[in-house]
C-alpha cells in the first residue's frame, strides 16, 4: 500500500517528523454514544483531567443486578471473542488497563434506533482472569448483536482512552453490523453510525462440499490482483448482484479463460467506505474509501460486499465469502487476501486448472487514525497495547494513515496469528499479502527482552519502531503449524522509509512484491540507458535479491498494481492526472517511470497508438518470460485506463470499475495476446523453474549469438532457454528507437519459427498453430529464417520456437 492512497486532505501537517506523528481528522462525528456522554473531540477537558487522577487499576463496583433476558455465569478466559458452547455463548476480551467492563446486547431493531437492548455489568471478582474479561450467557440470541463498554483512565498522554460512553467492537468479532448499503449514509447523514458485533449461533453448518486446500506450487502461480466491488460493479457486467462476492463468483469463467490460477483480493475485511466522504465537484459524486485499506474488524468480511448485507444479517457476508472461495477452488483458483494480509481460494463449478485465493491484509494500522480519530474498538479496549505510542502518548505513523499497529507486542502478535488461522481454517483462503509488511519488523512500544522473550538481556532495549532482524510476529507466523504451507507475501516497505525488498525476514518461505522488478522493467522497456544488465537479473528471478536462502518464486513480479498507473496509462501519460481526487494533484506518486510514446493523453496520432500497443505487449512479454511469479492487475488484460490517475483510492466509479464491454472489444486483440502468453508460460517447463537458471540451461545473446551487450547504452537483451517441452525457446527485446537485424543461434536440423512478434498487428502478434492464414504469415519470414536471421522493429519483442527442418 502506498501511503498516498490515504487522502492527504484528511491529515494535518506532521508536528514532528522524527517521530512520525500525524493528525487524522474525520469528516463526520464518530459512532453515536447512545445518549450517554459525548466522546469527541478527544481533548483533555477539565473533566478529563480530573479523571486521570483516578486509581489506575482499582474497580469499586456493587454486585451487578441480575439479567432479565439471560442466564449469566462466570465464563472462560479463552478463546477470545464470542464462542458458542454448552447451549450458550462465552464472551472473552483482553483489556489490561480497564477497571470495569460491561457487555451490551443489542437487537437489530434497537441498533437502528441507537438503543441498547440489555447491558450486563461484569463482576471483576468472577468475570476477570488476569487481564481478560469473560462471561457466559444463556438465552435467546436471535437477531442479537453485542459490544463492550470499558471504563478506566482517560489520559491520552499516558496512552489511555477509556470512556464508558462508547460501545466498542470486539477485536475478535467474526462479523460486524452497521449500514446496509455501500456508500449510503447512516441515519442523520452520519458517516460513522454505531456498529455492533454479531453473536454467533450454531445454525446450519456451511456446506463446503469437501473443499480442500489446492496447495498449488508457488512457482506455477499466475496472480490476479482484484477488487471485489470493482470487478463487477459496472453495468456491463450484466449480473444480478454487481459489486459483491456473489458477483465475483459469477464471473470466474473470465479468469479461467485468461489462465489465472490465483486471485489476490484487495481488502475484504470490514471497513468504512465513508471514511473520506466528501463531495467531489470535479466528477459530481462523492469521495469514499474505495480500496478499503483502513480496517475496522480483521476477522469480519466486509458486510456490504454481500448481496444483501445486514438485511439478511451479518452471517450472509460470511457465507457468501465462503461460497466465493469454494467456487474458486472448484475451478482450480487459489484465493489470497490483502491483510493488509491475504489468502488463496478457488472459484468455479468445475475442477479444471487449480486456482487459489490470496487475501490482502492490512495489519499495519486501523481506521481509528491518531488521537483525533474515532474510538470504536482497539483504542477504547486497550490503546497502549494495540498501537505504537511515543512516551507522551502520540501515535507513531509508519503507515502514513495516522497510527501504527503494535505488531510485535505479545498480545497483538497472538491476535495476528489467531486472525490468520481463522481465515485459513474457517474461510479456506490460501494465502495472504501483507500490506506495508515491513511494519511487522519494527519493534513494539514495549520492546525489551522481558516483554518479548520472558527474560532480560543486557543492552537489549530498543527504540520503538526500530527494525529488528528476527521479529517475533514474523517468527510466529512462519513457524505456526496451522499456517504451514500457506502462501505468505510481504509488501516489503512502509511509509516510514523502511525498504526491505530482498531483505525482508523470510525464514525461507516469505515472498515479496518485487518493486525493483517493476522499476527496472519500466525503465528498460521505455528505452532508458543503463538497464540491460538489471533487466537480465529480473528475467532470472532476481538472484541479486533472493539467491541465498530463497528461490525465484519468492519474487512476485509485477509491472502494475492497484496503486500507480494501469498498464494502458503507463504508455499513455508522462505525468499523473489526479485532479479528480480533490487534492490539487498533490497526491499520488510523481516518479512513475512511464513514457507516453511521444504524445500525452488519449487523442494522439495513429503511429503513437500503434507504438503504445507494442509497448503494452512488450511489458506483458517481460512479465511472462521472467522467472518468478507474475502478477497482473485487474483490467490490464484488456487495457483499462484510469485517465492517468495513479491514486484512485477514493473513487467508486468508472475509474475503478472493470469494463466488461471493453474486455469484449479487446477479446480478439490484446486480451487474446495475454491469454495466449499465459498459456505459453504454463506449457513451458523452463519458465517456472524451482531454482535460478544456470549456464547449462540459459544462454545470453546479443545482435549476434552468444555475444550479449551489457554496456551502458545497450537496449537489446536476448536469451535462449532449454525447455523439456518446447526443446528450446529464444526471446529477444529491442527497446531501441532503431530497428535491427538479429542473427539467431544455429541449431542444426531445426529452424527458428516465430511465435510472438509484438510489432505485428493482431492476430499475427501471436501465431498459433490453428491461426487462419498461418502458412501465409510464415512464408513472409521464411527467407530470413532460412538465413538464421530475424528483423526486429524498434520497441518490439519476439519469442521464437524450434521446428524440425523438413527436407522434402
Amino acid at each position: 500500500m502506498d501511503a498516498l492512497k490515504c487522502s492527504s486532505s484528511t491529515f494535518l501537517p506532521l508536528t514532528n517528523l522524527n517521530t512520525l506523528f500525524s493528525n487524522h481528522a474525520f469528516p463526520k462525528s464518530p459512532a453515536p454514544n447512545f445518549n450517554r456522554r459525548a466522546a469527541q473531540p478527544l481533548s483533555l477537558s477539565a473533566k478529563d483531567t480530573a479523571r486521570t487522577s483516578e486509581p489506575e487499576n482499582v474497580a469499586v463496583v456493587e454486585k451487578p443486578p441480575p439479567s432479565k433476558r439471560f442466564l449469566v455465569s462466570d465464563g472462560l478466559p479463552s478463546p477470545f471473542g464470542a464462542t458458542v458452547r454448552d447451549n450458550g455463548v462465552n464472551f472473552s476480551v483482553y483489556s489490561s488497563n480497564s477497571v470495569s467492563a460491561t457487555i451490551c446486547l443489542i437487537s437489530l431493531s434497537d441498533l437502528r434506533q441507537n438503543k441498547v437492548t440489555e447491558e450486563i455489568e461484569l463482576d471483576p471478582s468472577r468475570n476477570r482472569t488476569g487481564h481478560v474479561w469473560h462471561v457466559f450467557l444463556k438465552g435467546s440470541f436471535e437477531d442479537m448483536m453485542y459490544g463492550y463498554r470499558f471504563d478506566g483512565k482517560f489520559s491520552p498522554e499516558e496512552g489511555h482512552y477509556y470512556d464508558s460512553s462508547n460501545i466498542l467492537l470486539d477485536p475478535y468479532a467474526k462479523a460486524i453490523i452497521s449500514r446496509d448499503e455501500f456508500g449510503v449514509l447512516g441515519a442523520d447523514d452520519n458517516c460513522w453510525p454505531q456498529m455492533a458485533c454479531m453473536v454467533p449461533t450454531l445454525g446450519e453448518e456451511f456446506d463446503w462440499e469437501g473443499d480442500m486446500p489446492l496447495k498449488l506450487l508457488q512457482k506455477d502461480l499466475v496472480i490476479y490482483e482484484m477488487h471485489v466491488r470493482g470487478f463487477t460493479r459496472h453495468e456491463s457486467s450484466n449480473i444480478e448482484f454487481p459489486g459483491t462476492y456473489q458477483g465475483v463468483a459469477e464471473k470466474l469463467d473470465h479468469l479461467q479463460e485468461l489462465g489465472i490460477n490465483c486471485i489476490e483480493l484487495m481488502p475484504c475485511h470490514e471497513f468504512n467506505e465513508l471514511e473520506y466522504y466528501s463531495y467531489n465537484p470535479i466528477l459530481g459524486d462523492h469521495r469514499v474509501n474505495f480500496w478499503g485499506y483502513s480496517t475496522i474488524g480483521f476477522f469480519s468480511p466486509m458486510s456490504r460486499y454481500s448481496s444483501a448485507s445486514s438485511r439478511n444479517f451479518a452471517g450472509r457476508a460470511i457465507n457468501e465469502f465462503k461460497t466465493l472461495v469454494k467456487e474458486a477452488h472448484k475451478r482450480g483458483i487459489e484465493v489470497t487476501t490483502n491483510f493488509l494480509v491475504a489468502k488463496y481460494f478457488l472459484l468455479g463449478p468445475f475442477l479444471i486448472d487449480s486456482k487459489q485465493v490470496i487475501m490482502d491484509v492490512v495489519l499495519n494500522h486501523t481506521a481509528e487514525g491518531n488521537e483525533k480519530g474515532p474510538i470504536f474498538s482497539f483504542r477504547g479496549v486497550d490503546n497502549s497495547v494495540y498501537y505504537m505510542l511515543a512516551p507522551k502518548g502520540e501515535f507513531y505513523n509508519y503507515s502514513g494513515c495516522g497510527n501504527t499497529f503494535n505488531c510485535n507486542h505479545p498480545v497483538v502478535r497472538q491476535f495476528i496469528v489467531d486472525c490468520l488461522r481463522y481465515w485459513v481454517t474457517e474461510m479456506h483462503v490460501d494465502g495472504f499479502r501483507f500490506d506495508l509488511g515491513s511494519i511487522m519488523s519494527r519493534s513494539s512500544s514495549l520492546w525489551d527482552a522481558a516483554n518479548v522473550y520472558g527474560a532480560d538481556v543486557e543492552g537489549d532495549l530498543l527504540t520503538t519502531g526500530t527494525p529488528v532482524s528476527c521479529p517475533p510476529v514474523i517468527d510466529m507466523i512462519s513457524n505456526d503449524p496451522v499456517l504451514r504451507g500457506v502462501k505468505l507475501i510481504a509488501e516489503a516497505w512502509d511509509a516510514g522509509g523502511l525498504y526491505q525488498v530482498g531483505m525482508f525476514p523470510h525464514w525461507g518461505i516469505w515472498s515479496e512484491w518485487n518493486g525493483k522488478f517493476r522499476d527496472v522493467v519500466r525503465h528498460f522497456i521505455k528505452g532508458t540507458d543503463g538497464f540491460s544488465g538489471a533487466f537480465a537479473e529480473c528475467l532470472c528471478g532476481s538472484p541479486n535479491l533472493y539467491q541465498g536462502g530463497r528461490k525465484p518464486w519468492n519474487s512476485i513480479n509485477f509491472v502494475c498494481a492497484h496503486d500507480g498507473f494501469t498498464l494502458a496509462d503507463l504508455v499513455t501519460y508522462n505525468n499523473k492526472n489526479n485532479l479528480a481526487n480533490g487534492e490539487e494533484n498533490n497526491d499520488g506518486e510523481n516518479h512513475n517511470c512511464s513514457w507516453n510514446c511521444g504524445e500525452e493523453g488519449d487523442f494522439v496520432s495513429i503511429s503513437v497508438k500503434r507504438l503504445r500497443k507494442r509497448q503494452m505487449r512488450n511489458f506483458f512479454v517481460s512479465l511472462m518470460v521472467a522467472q518468478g511469479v507474475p502478477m497482473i492487475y485487474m483490467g490490464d488484460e484488456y487495457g483499462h485506463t484510469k485517465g492517468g490517475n495513479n491514486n484512485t483510492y477514493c473513487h467508486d466509479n468508472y475509474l475503478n470499475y472493470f469494463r466488461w464491454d471493453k474486455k469484449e472489444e479487446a477479446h480478439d486483440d490484446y486480451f487474446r495476446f495475454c491469454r495466449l502468453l499465459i498459456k505459453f508460460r504454463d506449457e513451458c517447463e523452463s519458465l517456472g523453474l524451482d531454482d535460478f537458471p544456470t549456464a547449462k540451461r540459459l544462454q545470453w545473446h546479443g545482435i549476434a549469438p552468444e555475444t550479449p551487450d551489457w554496456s551502458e547504452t545497450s537496449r537489446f537483451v536476448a536469451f535462449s532457454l532449454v525447455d523439456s517441452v518446447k526443446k528450446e525457446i529464444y526471446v529477444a527485446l529491442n527497446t531501441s528507437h532503431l530497428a535491427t537485424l538479429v542473427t539467431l543461434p544455429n541449431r542444426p536440423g531445426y529452424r527458428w519459427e516465430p511465435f510472438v512478434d509484438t510489432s505485428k498487428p493482431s492476430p499475427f502478434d501471436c501465431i498459433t498453430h490453428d491461426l487462419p492464414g498461418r502458412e501465409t504469415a510464415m512464408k513472409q519470414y521464411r527467407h530470413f529464417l532460412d538465413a538464421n536471421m530475424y528483423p526486429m522493429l524498434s520497441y518490439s519483442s519476439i519469442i521464437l520456437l524450434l521446428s524440425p527442418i523438413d527436407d522434402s
Side-chain angles (χ1 to χ4, degrees):
M1 184 191 84
D2 192 312
L4 294 172
K5 71 178 62 169
C6 296
S7 167
S8 64
S9 66
T10 62
F11 296 88
L12 298 178
L14 294 178
T15 57
N16 186 338
L17 290 176
N18 291 326
T19 50
L20 291 168
F21 308 136
S22 71
N23 295 317
H24 195 326
F26 286 78
K28 290 283 185 177
S29 61
N33 55 27
F34 289 80
N35 301 317
R36 295 279 292 258
R37 181 173 73 249
Q40 300 290 327
L42 300 179
S43 59
L44 283 174
S45 63
K47 178 189 295 185
D48 294 323
T49 304
R51 293 185 63 193
T52 63
S53 64
E54 297 173 5
E56 185 169 351
N57 284 311
V58 179
V60 181
V61 296
E62 298 178 1
K63 185 175 182 179
S67 170
K68 297 179 181 179
R69 295 170 178 260
F70 301 96
L71 180 63
V72 183
S73 57
D74 297 359
L76 298 173
S78 65
F80 289 141
T83 308
V84 177
R85 70 172 185 88
D86 301 334
N87 299 316
V89 179
N90 187 80
F91 297 87
S92 173
V93 60
Y94 175 93
S95 181
S96 62
N97 293 293
S98 61
V99 298
S100 68
T102 300
I103 187 168
C104 303
L105 285 306
I106 311 166
S107 69
L108 187 60
S109 58
D110 282 345
L111 180 67
R112 299 293 182 248
Q113 302 176 50
N114 284 349
K115 293 166 55 180
V116 177
T117 306
E118 179 159 354
E119 298 193 28
I120 301 172
E121 190 174 352
L122 304 188
D123 182 349
S125 66
R126 298 177 53 202
N127 301 113
R128 187 168 189 174
T129 302
H131 291 158
V132 180
W133 294 92
H134 48 83
V135 65
F136 181 72
L137 303 180
K138 282 188 176 182
S140 174
F141 291 100
E142 184 177 357
D143 288 345
M144 193 64 69
M145 289 156 288
Y146 75 101
Y148 290 102
R149 298 190 195 272
F150 291 100
D151 210 351
K153 296 180 72 173
F154 188 94
S155 179
E157 70 274 13
E158 296 180 81
H160 303 310
Y161 286 82
Y162 289 108
D163 187 337
S164 60
S165 69
N166 291 321
I167 294 183
L168 304 171
L169 299 173
D170 182 353
Y172 278 76
K174 304 306 187 293
I176 295 171
I177 301 297
S178 179
R179 294 170 292 102
D180 286 347
E181 298 182 37
F182 191 96
V184 177
L185 295 169
D188 300 322
D189 291 339
N190 193 348
C191 290
W192 289 91
Q194 179 64 45
M195 297 173 282
C197 313
M198 180 189 72
V199 178
T201 58
L202 285 176
E204 184 177 344
E205 187 174 348
F206 181 80
D207 184 7
W208 279 105
E209 301 180 32
D211 178 68
M212 296 292 288
L214 294 178
K215 297 183 179 180
L216 301 180
L217 296 177
Q218 186 155 321
K219 70 181 185 67
D220 296 330
L221 296 182
V222 178
I223 300 175
Y224 187 90
E225 189 188 25
M226 174 196 291
H227 188 282
V228 168
R229 180 171 173 84
F231 191 56
T232 63
R233 190 67 187 92
H234 194 266
E235 60 185 10
S236 61
S237 66
N238 294 320
I239 59 175
E240 184 177 0
F241 298 107
T244 65
Y245 302 123
Q246 187 169 330
V248 173
E250 289 185 42
K251 287 293 189 177
L252 292 174
D253 285 343
H254 166 71
L255 300 182
Q256 189 171 34
E257 181 185 13
L258 184 57
I260 300 299
N261 60 7
C262 178
I263 305 170
E264 183 178 302
L265 295 176
M266 290 174 65
C268 289
H269 302 98
E270 187 69 28
F271 66 91
N272 182 8
E273 73 278 10
L274 299 181
E275 182 178 355
Y276 311 137
Y277 191 78
S278 60
Y279 182 68
N280 185 346
I282 296 177
L283 295 182
D285 58 4
H286 288 83
R287 298 166 69 248
V288 299
N289 177 11
F290 183 78
W291 284 349
Y293 286 89
S294 199
T295 306
I296 289 173
F298 290 101
F299 285 78
S300 174
M302 176 59 170
S303 60
R304 289 173 297 285
Y305 283 171
S306 73
S307 61
S309 190
S310 57
R311 287 167 290 179
N312 286 328
F313 217 53
R316 183 64 177 255
I318 295 174
N319 286 341
E320 289 191 8
F321 185 90
K322 288 180 176 180
T323 299
L324 169 59
V325 174
K326 180 176 69 173
E327 292 304 312
H329 283 172
K330 286 180 179 178
R331 286 215 168 106
I333 300 175
E334 287 190 324
V335 180
T336 63
T337 62
N338 202 320
F339 229 114
L340 301 191
V341 180
K343 262 293 177 189
Y344 295 95
F345 47 91
L346 300 181
L347 312 172
F350 306 108
L351 185 55
I352 303 176
D353 282 332
S354 295
K355 296 181 175 63
Q356 296 184 319
V357 179
I358 296 176
M359 290 188 73
D360 196 337
V361 287
V362 191
L363 288 167
N364 57 74
H365 74 283
T366 77
E368 289 183 307
N370 70 355
E371 62 272 10
K372 296 183 181 295
I375 302 175
F376 54 73
S377 183
F378 302 95
R379 176 169 295 138
V381 173
D382 218 332
N383 181 73
S384 63
V385 167
Y386 284 106
Y387 296 115
M388 279 191 194
L389 302 179
K392 293 185 179 180
E394 303 99 324
F395 290 82
Y396 280 94
N397 187 25
Y398 294 113
S399 69
C401 294
N403 63 57
T404 304
F405 217 47
N406 204 17
C407 297
N408 281 299
H409 185 286
V411 171
V412 181
R413 66 178 185 257
Q414 186 62 58
F415 170 85
I416 290 172
V417 171
D418 289 345
C419 182
L420 299 179
R421 283 182 165 192
Y422 174 79
W423 285 96
V424 171
T425 59
E426 291 296 322
M427 309 299 269
H428 287 206
V429 296
D430 304 286
F432 303 96
R433 179 261 187 187
F434 294 77
D435 184 72
L436 298 185
S438 289
I439 283 178
M440 296 193 300
S441 72
R442 292 185 180 271
S443 60
S444 70
S445 295
L446 295 179
W447 183 271
D448 59 65
N451 279 315
V452 177
Y453 301 111
D456 286 315
V457 177
E458 186 176 353
D460 192 61
L461 189 64
L462 293 178
T463 303
T464 298
T466 301
V468 294
S469 60
C470 185
V473 66
I474 299 177
D475 187 356
M476 285 183 67
I477 294 170
S478 303
N479 294 291
D480 185 82
V482 175
L483 300 177
R484 294 301 291 182
V486 165
K487 294 170 176 67
L488 303 172
I489 303 171
E491 184 182 41
W493 55 83
D494 66 20
L498 183 57
Y499 191 79
Q500 297 177 310
V501 172
M503 300 174 289
F504 188 83
H506 56 79
W507 275 262
I509 60 176
W510 283 77
S511 300
E512 300 170 6
W513 266 26
N514 190 344
K516 293 184 179 181
F517 178 98
R518 171 199 61 203
D519 298 341
V520 167
V521 170
R522 287 186 179 191
H523 275 295
F524 180 76
I525 294 299
K526 76 187 185 78
T528 306
D529 284 342
F531 281 90
S532 59
F535 181 70
E537 291 271 16
C538 291
L539 294 176
C540 292
S542 300
N544 55 318
L545 299 178
Y546 302 111
Q547 198 166 38
R550 284 193 278 184
K551 303 292 185 179
W553 45 264
N554 290 121
S555 172
I556 306 300
N557 301 332
F558 67 103
V559 175
C560 299
H562 65 275
D563 46 0
F565 281 148
T566 66
L567 190 58
D569 289 349
L570 189 65
V571 300
T572 304
Y573 297 92
N574 283 351
N575 303 303
K576 67 184 181 183
N577 183 19
N578 294 2
L579 288 174
N581 299 351
E583 302 184 45
E584 299 181 352
N585 211 38
N586 291 319
D587 64 306
E589 178 59 56
N590 291 316
H591 307 288
N592 297 285
C593 308
S594 61
W595 180 45
N596 62 16
C597 298
E599 299 177 38
E600 187 80 355
D602 290 329
F603 301 102
V604 295
S605 63
I606 293 177
S607 61
V608 168
K609 288 183 177 180
R610 288 173 177 167
L611 178 54
R612 288 174 179 176
K613 288 185 176 182
R614 289 212 302 275
Q615 288 292 76
M616 288 176 64
R617 285 162 170 78
N618 292 337
F619 277 119
F620 206 80
V621 168
S622 301
L623 194 60
M624 288 300 123
V625 301
Q627 302 297 326
V629 177
M631 185 184 78
I632 304 164
Y633 176 54
M634 178 184 84
D636 277 349
E637 69 269 33
Y638 67 80
H640 181 76
T641 178
K642 296 182 180 182
N645 192 324
N646 70 356
N647 191 33
T648 58
Y649 71 96
C650 59
H651 295 287
D652 183 24
N653 56 38
Y654 65 93
L655 292 176
N656 283 316
Y657 292 169
F658 188 99
R659 293 289 301 271
W660 294 93
D661 52 344
K662 298 295 184 183
K663 180 259 178 176
E664 287 305 314
E665 291 177 10
H667 188 272
D668 295 327
D669 191 351
Y670 186 63
F671 177 81
R672 171 186 176 271
F673 182 84
C674 294
R675 174 176 60 82
L676 292 175
L677 260 290
I678 293 174
K679 183 174 183 288
F680 174 74
R681 178 185 175 87
D682 181 60
E683 293 172 347
C684 289
E685 166 267 341
S686 62
L687 293 181
L689 296 177
D690 195 44
D691 212 338
F692 299 99
T694 66
K696 291 182 179 181
R697 180 189 288 269
L698 174 67
Q699 194 171 42
W700 295 105
H701 307 287
I703 302 301
E706 301 180 37
T707 56
D709 181 2
W710 306 121
S711 67
E712 186 71 14
T713 57
S714 173
R715 298 184 184 183
F716 184 89
V717 170
F719 65 93
S720 57
L721 200 61
V722 175
D723 187 273
S724 62
V725 177
K726 304 290 185 179
K727 295 185 178 63
E728 191 173 5
I729 64 175
Y730 176 90
V731 180
L733 298 100
N734 176 29
T735 63
S736 169
H737 61 286
L738 301 174
T740 189
L741 184 62
V742 181
T743 301
L744 304 173
N746 185 36
R747 299 294 183 257
Y750 291 89
R751 175 192 293 115
W752 292 103
E753 291 191 348
F755 171 62
V756 166
D757 186 339
T758 62
S759 70
K760 304 297 182 184
S762 182
F764 299 105
D765 53 353
C766 190
I767 301 178
T768 58
H769 287 287
D770 59 352
L771 177 68
R774 181 180 186 276
E775 290 304 317
T776 301
M778 297 301 288
K779 288 180 181 179
Q780 297 176 357
Y781 299 99
R782 192 58 52 83
H783 59 293
F784 283 107
L785 296 174
D786 285 344
N788 222 33
M789 307 182 80
Y790 194 92
M792 292 186 67
L793 291 187
S794 61
Y795 302 108
S796 68
S797 308
I798 60 172
I799 300 177
L800 308 181
L801 303 177
L802 283 180
S803 178
I805 296 176
D806 186 357
D807 293 332
S808 62

